[in-house]
Amino acid sequence: MQIGLLTGGGDCPGLNAAIRAVVKRGLGEYGHSIIGFRNGWKGVVNGDLVPLTRDKIRNTLPEGGTILGTARYHPTKENGGIDAVMQVLEQERIEALICIGGDGTLHAASEVAAAGVKIVAIPKTIDNDVWGTDQSIGYHTAVNIATEAIDRIHTTAESHNRVMVVEVMGRTAGWIAVNAGIAGGAEIVLAPEEPFDMDRIVRFLTHRHRSHASFSIIVVAEGAQAVAGSSFEYTTETGKYGEIIGGAVGAAVSHEIAARTGFDTRLTVLGHVQRGGSPTPTDRILGSRFGVAAVDAIVAGKSDVMTALIGEHVELVSLQDIAGKVKTVPTELLQVARALA
Ligand code: F6P
């Protein structure tokens, strides 16, 4: 059997572990051919493919990014996109497709599956907001990177008696902000799940700096928003394509704090640093487990499913059930971040 494989959407550490596992399991265990498509769905539509041999995956486990390349491209949004996908898959005699991606790629995958293609998906995103799985590939590494950055910012914040605002990624969910904030000992964490009130932030900082501290760290997710109708209104700033403008909320928050408190305030936007570099062992293991499970699912005749980490186990969940849903940070975790401020 010929199995197609693609990585779509934003890249992240751990993708190569999943690709490697698909190739090893598919080729080694079952003797199937694995055909990689370059640059996500774009490669499928354009018939841009590369047969994945053992040579291609050698030494890729610790590598960041994706050896297949990726793109933010949705065949379902293009005229005739689905037809082009069907045509290329038929022409190349691809019997099943493994799609590694976040919400956009998985949404496209569910529509392609509905058109009759055998699909098994693997969740990846540093944002960790894919519904149905406890964790997505890339998230663990991103939290590590953000925590290390906060640790470093801590020492310079203290030396200079400054308020340091650190903006991390997270469009619709604040998983990185909340967990890196807790791990890095941030004073305040602002996440999309809970609109923030600038008056309270200013009161808190003023009291803290007057009574017992001379520095503060505020971690803000790029999708955080202010309470509507409050003295400082901030709605996520989006660009031409509806994408969140990185750095915008961090700049607005740090500017407002400096203006209202008079404290020396600085902003650090971690941006794509969080998506680059070598994956942690946890992400290598998760990618490997998902890769093996995806091939096994195809061999077992499953389709329209996604591999998911549920507790200690990798299971299969229905793609149709997760489409359009966002996994946000639970209140209990938000409360822990708040309780430790
Ligand atoms: O996919 C996750 C993510 O890291 C978001 O948090 C961020 O908004 C987005 O990707 C930015 O991606 P790009 O600059 O590649 O479009």
Side-chain angles (χ1 to χ4, degrees), residues 127-129 139 168-181 189-193 219-224 327-329 333-334:
D127 292 354
N128 201 36
D129 57 359
Y139 165 65
V168 298
M169 282 187 170
R171 276 172 290 177
T172 50
W175 289 97
I176 299 177
V178 172
N179 278 334
V189 175
L190 308 180
E193 285 82 353
V219 177
V220 50
E222 63 185 345
K327 187 185 72 177
T328 51
V329 179
L333 199 48
L334 292 166

Side-chain angles (χ1 to χ4, degrees), residues 233-249:
E233 290 219 36
Y234 182 88
T235 318
T236 319
E237 216 180 293
T238 53
K240 193 170 160 198
Y241 303 105
E243 81 284 10
I244 286 184
I245 298 180
V249 66

Side-chain angles (χ1 to χ4, degrees), residues 75-265:
T76 52
K77 291 184 186 158
E78 305 292 322
N79 229 344
I82 296 274
D83 289 345
V85 167
M86 306 296 281
Q87 204 181 321
V88 170
L89 294 181
E90 200 179 316
Q91 195 178 299
E92 300 298 335
R93 298 198 310 280
I94 308 274
E95 291 169 55
L97 200 52
I98 296 177
C99 306
I100 311 177
D103 49 359
T105 308
L106 301 183
H107 184 240
S110 73
E111 294 203 5
V112 173
V117 177
K118 239 179 155 189
I119 294 224
V120 174
I122 294 178
K124 70 85 220 170
T125 165
I126 64 161
D127 292 354
N128 201 36
D129 57 359
V130 173
W131 184 269
T133 181
D134 290 354
Q135 207 155 305
S136 297
I137 299 171
Y139 165 65
H140 189 267
T141 309
V143 172
N144 259 26
I145 294 169
T147 303
E148 198 203 320
I150 295 168
D151 285 347
R152 289 176 185 276
I153 285 166
H154 231 120
T155 60
T156 173
E158 208 160 355
S159 306
H160 285 268
N161 304 319
R162 281 175 172 156
V163 174
M164 301 295 268
V165 176
V166 185
E167 188 191 288
V168 298
M169 282 187 170
R171 276 172 290 177
T172 50
W175 289 97
I176 299 177
V178 172
N179 278 334
I182 293 171
E187 274 63 52
I188 299 175
V189 175
L190 308 180
E193 285 82 353
E194 254 180 3
F196 60 87
D197 180 345
M198 188 53 79
D199 293 340
R200 283 187 63 185
I201 294 173
V202 167
R203 270 202 307 276
F204 171 86
L205 289 175
T206 310
H207 172 73
R208 175 178 152 87
H209 286 231
R210 266 197 207 129
S211 57
H212 62 280
S214 59
F215 76 97
S216 294
I217 295 189
I218 301 174
V219 177
V220 50
E222 63 185 345
Q225 308 211 12
V227 175
S230 62
S231 66
F232 171 77
E233 290 219 36
Y234 182 88
T235 318
T236 319
E237 216 180 293
T238 53
K240 193 170 160 198
Y241 303 105
E243 81 284 10
I244 286 184
I245 298 180
V249 66
V253 166
S254 63
H255 178 268
E256 194 69 12
I257 288 171
R260 289 203 202 182
T261 63
F263 297 148
D264 199 12
T265 305

